[in-house]
Amino acid sequence: MAIKLFLLLILLSHVASSLAEGCHPQDKKALLQIKKELNNPTLLSSWKPHTDCCNSSWYGVNCLPSKRVYFLVIEIDNDLRSSFPPSIGNLPYLDSLLLYQLPNLTGAIPQSITKLTKLRSLTIRATGISGPIPNFIAKLKSLTYLDLSENHLSGTLPHNLYKLPNLEAIILQNNILTGPIPPSYGYIKNISSLFLSHNKLSGKLPMSLARLNSLVVDLSYNRFEGDASMFFGFAKQTETIDLSWNMLLFDMGRVELPKTLKLLDVSHNRVYGKLPDGAKNLQWLNVSYNRLCGEIPKGGNIQTFSTNLFSHNKCLCGSPLPSC
């Protein structure tokens, strides 16, 4: 009888231990494989096979009440050296993925991430990844936030991001991307932030971008040409427009600034005409190195701005510049 009781206690202890194990076995296996694919970096030394990955002891891992991994962050490690771990695609409940400041994380974005059907936020920033931005990103139908900035990504912009129904932010700045903005970007319904600055993008801006009503548009430090007036309009909700350091050519006097606009930078372009009256309501303005002419509007804060923000134009005049 005593032996049976002893065996029963052992069995119950095993059951209790298995119930206490918070991490889903499939997710734990995937995380340990990710660690292996990253060459077992010191940063992930807390990922130990005989511990629970959902008890907050595993670096960068957070779990749902169902004990499925939904958040993974690996960041700030100059010693981590590997290619992008394909086993990240084996975390089916992952909601947010953040890989940040890993300069020796190299290679291309693997297609295995398309298995992350619940992923809403994808950040791969300040890493050594290279190659094109793959079109299969558009298979992440739940995605709302896409940040692939400060990498070594090249090639053209993916044309099919409009297929992501919930996408709100596109952040692709500081790469080596080339070519034009696809006309399909004007049909990204819910986009609130578009950051494409510091690339080698070029060509004329498609008129379909007039459909956008984003809070922020930043196309600075590229090689865009021609008209950019489609970003303006009194009824739009845009707060920041940065078109500086391009080759844009349009009549500034014919645009209506959005009533919500706070910051406008069109410096280092070929913009001509006069400043619209709405410019006096801005919190910050830079129109230097253009071909503008006429009197600077009076009122608001504009007379307090530095003269450098109006310099090198054809014939701008009036406070804070010399009178006309």
Side-chain angles (χ1 to χ4, degrees):
M1 184 68 180
I3 294 175
K4 288 183 179 180
L5 182 59
F6 177 71
L7 292 175
L8 180 61
L9 288 172
I10 292 177
L11 177 62
L12 290 174
S13 68
H14 281 297
V15 170
S17 176
S18 64
L19 289 174
E21 173 67 37
C23 190
H24 192 281
Q26 178 185 339
D27 291 355
K28 186 173 186 178
K29 180 180 178 181
L31 289 169
L32 291 173
Q33 182 62 28
I34 290 167
K35 179 182 177 181
K36 182 178 179 181
E37 291 168 356
L38 291 173
N39 295 319
N40 298 303
T42 305
L43 184 68
L44 304 183
S45 59
S46 61
W47 293 16
K48 298 177 181 178
H50 302 296
T51 58
D52 174 13
C53 73
C54 286
N55 69 357
S56 301
S57 65
W58 282 39
Y59 166 85
V61 177
N62 281 314
C63 298
L64 293 166
S66 62
K67 307 303 181 183
R68 303 305 300 254
V69 174
Y70 83 98
F71 181 85
L72 177 62
V73 53
I74 304 173
E75 61 178 349
I76 314 177
D77 189 348
N78 293 333
D79 297 324
L80 185 153
R81 296 176 183 274
S82 79
S83 56
F84 195 107
S87 292
I88 280 179
N90 295 330
L91 295 170
Y93 285 81
L94 200 62
D95 175 273
S96 300
L97 172 63
L98 171 60
L99 304 176
Y100 172 62
Q101 206 167 315
L102 305 170
N104 297 305
L105 179 70
T106 58
I109 300 172
Q111 189 161 2
S112 61
I113 69 165
T114 59
K115 295 189 290 183
L116 302 176
T117 57
K118 298 182 184 296
L119 194 68
R120 292 192 300 168
S121 177
L122 174 61
T123 299
I124 307 171
R125 183 172 187 176
T127 76
I129 65 166
S130 58
I133 299 174
N135 285 320
F136 57 66
I137 291 284
K139 293 184 178 181
L140 300 172
K141 298 299 184 183
S142 299
L143 205 62
T144 63
Y145 184 87
L146 175 64
D147 183 353
L148 302 178
S149 60
E150 300 177 42
N151 295 300
H152 301 282
L153 296 168
S154 58
T156 57
L157 294 170
H159 65 88
N160 55 357
L161 294 183
Y162 73 96
K163 293 183 179 180
L164 296 173
N166 304 309
L167 190 61
E168 296 177 4
I170 300 175
I171 306 172
L172 305 177
Q173 62 201 30
N174 290 88
N175 281 290
I176 357 173
L177 300 170
T178 56
I181 296 178
S184 59
Y185 278 39
Y187 297 88
I188 303 176
K189 294 180 180 179
N190 300 310
I191 190 73
S192 64
S193 301
L194 179 63
F195 290 90
L196 302 178
S197 68
H198 293 82
N199 279 288
K200 297 182 179 179
L201 298 168
S202 59
K204 294 185 176 181
L205 301 175
M207 288 307 299
S208 60
L209 296 180
R211 300 170 58 91
L212 297 182
N213 195 10
S214 307
L215 293 176
V216 180
V217 174
D218 186 354
L219 308 185
S220 60
Y221 289 87
N222 280 291
R223 302 170 182 174
F224 293 120
E225 304 173 19
D227 191 8
S229 60
M230 74 285 292
F231 292 118
F232 300 91
F234 187 74
K236 291 196 174 188
Q237 302 300 310
T238 311
E239 296 180 359
T240 299
I241 298 177
D242 190 347
L243 306 174
S244 60
W245 292 91
N246 281 287
M247 297 179 284
L248 296 167
L249 177 69
F250 63 97
D251 186 347
M252 195 71 191
R254 294 194 173 188
V255 302
E256 281 190 329
L257 301 185
K259 61 181 182 296
T260 53
L261 193 64
K262 298 176 182 177
L263 291 89
L264 173 62
D265 192 342
V266 294
S267 62
H268 295 85
N269 278 288
R270 301 170 183 174
V271 181
Y272 61 93
K274 64 179 183 178
L275 283 175
D277 189 61
K280 66 186 181 185
N281 300 318
L282 297 173
Q283 295 178 8
W284 193 83
L285 170 68
N286 191 347
V287 294
S288 61
Y289 292 88
N290 278 292
R291 303 172 182 177
L292 295 167
C293 204
E295 186 173 11
I296 295 172
K298 296 177 181 178
N301 298 320
I302 198 166
Q303 270 71 51
T304 67
F305 295 165
S306 168
T307 57
N308 293 335
L309 301 177
F310 303 93
S311 64
H312 296 276
N313 274 286
K314 185 177 180 181
C315 51
L316 272 182
C317 57
S319 180
L321 297 179
S323 59
C324 295

